[in-house]
Amino acid sequence: MQKNKINSGMLLLIGALKKIKFAYYNQLERRYLEKEINSPVEILSCLGNITKKENELFLHLHITIADKNGNAFGGHLLKGSIVFALEGIIFEFFGKPIKRKFDESIKLFLFDI
């Protein structure tokens, strides 16, 4: 996306991962609880957005996956996941880039529109 100079947009992804790192945001504790699955999984759905966070490109992706037994899991996709196969579409938003601003009350970076 940096290579193609996309600053704002939406992503839709399907495919499979060899390994996944993902997280759940605990609203009471105001922190992410990370999980990892070190075996192959199918991506049932993955969608998210492309924005600017502190002047850097930021991908915010939510993913739903299934293991070999059909058990489904999901959360925020994290760095450290390993792709087996991936198909995706990026819908670029034109105009002023969408930026994120830190919301102190919930401890998250949200759209600053």
Side-chain angles (χ1 to χ4, degrees):
M1 284 158 287
Q2 288 176 329
K3 180 177 159 183
N4 295 317
K5 299 182 181 177
I6 297 174
N7 292 309
S8 296
M10 185 175 96
L11 292 101
L12 302 171
L13 306 168
I14 57 172
L17 301 170
K18 294 179 182 181
K19 168 187 171 180
I20 183 171
K21 289 182 76 172
F22 59 106
Y24 166 81
Y25 189 72
N26 184 306
Q27 296 174 21
L28 296 175
E29 296 179 12
R30 303 283 199 263
R31 68 184 187 96
Y32 285 98
L33 304 174
E34 295 185 9
K35 299 189 179 289
E36 191 170 314
I37 298 175
N38 290 302
S39 59
V41 295
E42 290 285 321
I43 300 171
L44 303 177
S45 177
C46 183
L47 60 116
N49 54 57
I50 304 163
T51 57
K52 290 283 189 160
K53 177 180 158 188
E54 298 178 324
N55 293 318
E56 297 290 326
L57 194 64
F58 179 73
L59 298 179
H60 182 195
L61 300 171
H62 285 223
I63 190 165
T64 305
I65 54 144
D67 66 14
K68 66 181 180 180
N69 298 314
N71 298 308
F73 304 92
H76 296 264
L77 184 61
L78 301 177
K79 290 180 183 179
S81 299
I82 300 173
V83 173
F84 175 75
L86 192 65
E87 298 176 340
I89 297 173
I90 298 173
F91 298 95
E92 183 177 4
F93 299 155
F94 295 98
K96 188 176 177 182
I98 297 172
K99 295 183 180 181
R100 292 179 172 275
K101 180 179 174 185
F102 189 72
D103 184 317
E104 187 65 41
S105 66
I106 60 173
K107 307 290 187 208
L108 291 172
F109 282 87
L110 302 176
F111 283 5
D112 184 21
I113 299 177

